[in-house]
Amino acid sequence: MTLTELEALLSARHSCRAFRADPVPRAEIERIVAAACRVPSWCNAQPWQVTLTSGAETDAFRAALMNEAMTGTPGPDLAFPSGYSGVYQDRRRTCGWALYEAVGVEKGDRAGSAEQMMKNFSLFDAPHCAIISSPAELGGYGAMDCGGFVAAFTLAAQALGVATIPQAAVASYAPFLHRYFDIPEDRLILCAISFGYADTEHPANSFRTERAAVDEIVDWRG
Ligand SMILES: Cc1cc2nc3c(=O)[nH]c(=O)nc-3n(C[C@H](O)[C@H](O)[C@H](O)COP(=O)(O)O)c2cc1C
């Protein structure tokens, strides 16, 4: 593969926030997971474990998660960021407003933005959800390795025409996820990846995010 082809794949991938109902064939999901496993990890520990739903299991999970989001209390295994300041706050706001503008939520419309946020818990109607966990004893490095796995999963999926969205929002209900899927307490639930085929007509999928220029992120020495 040339870098030009890889760049095309990287540019084509985006977070999908409206899915069609049709499922991804099991063989393709297996290929995506196997491809994602090729990322590097410290000591080749491969800390990722994936709890992956399809069909009626996704629908049952969606219903239970929505109920939890309406009645439960969030409690992520991995502490959420304590704040976003400076450029990080700017970038966060920019992508948030791009989403709200795309779906017609105006500034100050708290009910509208809350309603859009709640779509996280219906998994944006995706037919599949993958819950990613890492051994607690591996700490931040396990999470780092799993970040690579998540990125590769989204790219491998994109290469097969499968749309994805990583979701920290789902992991915010970690105690519920441990109970619901019987995920051992010695594993940190890091995020979910909801995936399927994109509803390309949906306004939530009509915008794209920007990236900072290379000179903004590299401190060149020599
Ligand atoms: C670890 C992680 C967690 C994320 N959690 C959420 C989430 O809970 N809800 C959401 O709508 N998007 C979530 N996203 C998607 C980001 O908002 C998105 O990747 C970012 O805005 C860049 O846009 P792009 O993926 O379309 O390139 C998450 C992404 C990552 C990598």
Side-chain angles (χ1 to χ4, degrees):
M1 189 188 216
T2 65
L3 179 55
T4 306
E5 287 167 328
L6 180 58
E7 285 166 342
L9 183 64
L10 285 158
S11 301
R13 186 216 56 82
H14 65 93
S15 291
C16 176
R17 294 185 179 84
F19 292 87
R20 304 193 323 238
D22 41 323
V24 179
R26 172 67 68 99
E28 295 203 0
I29 299 175
E30 283 177 14
R31 241 183 122 187
I32 292 166
V33 174
C37 287
R38 296 306 311 178
V39 294
S41 60
W42 195 2
C43 310
N44 199 27
Q46 306 165 65
W48 41 81
Q49 279 281 316
V50 185
T51 303
L52 203 154
T53 69
S54 300
E57 286 287 339
T58 304
D59 290 332
F61 171 53
R62 190 188 335 271
L65 179 63
M66 284 173 72
N67 179 61
E68 180 68 20
M70 283 186 285
T71 60
T73 310
D77 283 347
L78 190 66
F80 272 23
S82 56
Y84 288 87
S85 53
V87 291
Y88 308 111
Q89 187 184 43
D90 295 344
R91 292 170 190 164
R92 183 175 189 232
R93 281 193 181 138
T94 301
C95 84
W97 287 125
L99 170 61
Y100 291 144
E101 197 179 359
V103 297
V105 174
E106 293 187 1
K107 284 191 183 177
D109 178 0
R110 284 174 183 243
S113 57
E115 194 181 322
Q116 176 59 37
M117 211 286 285
M118 283 301 286
K119 293 188 185 208
N120 272 286
F121 306 113
S122 63
L123 312 173
F124 303 106
D125 293 333
H128 305 280
C129 186
I131 311 283
I132 314 297
S133 69
S134 174
E137 66 177 358
L138 270 60
Y141 286 93
M144 182 186 284
D145 294 343
C146 287
F149 177 86
V150 169
F153 186 111
T154 65
L155 291 170
Q158 178 66 40
L160 290 179
V162 174
T164 57
I165 180 162
Q167 291 178 273
V170 173
S172 68
Y173 290 96
F176 159 76
L177 298 173
H178 281 284
R179 280 196 312 276
Y180 188 87
F181 289 116
D182 207 12
I183 297 171
E185 293 298 330
D186 62 359
R187 300 195 67 81
L188 301 178
I189 295 174
L190 300 174
C191 71
I193 308 172
S194 291
F195 65 98
Y197 298 104
D199 176 353
T200 52
E201 303 300 310
H202 196 288
N205 288 332
S206 66
F207 76 98
R208 297 292 179 269
T209 52
E210 299 292 322
R211 294 298 184 269
V214 169
D215 280 341
E216 262 184 76
I217 59 159
V218 180
D219 176 12
W220 299 103
R221 307 287 175 109

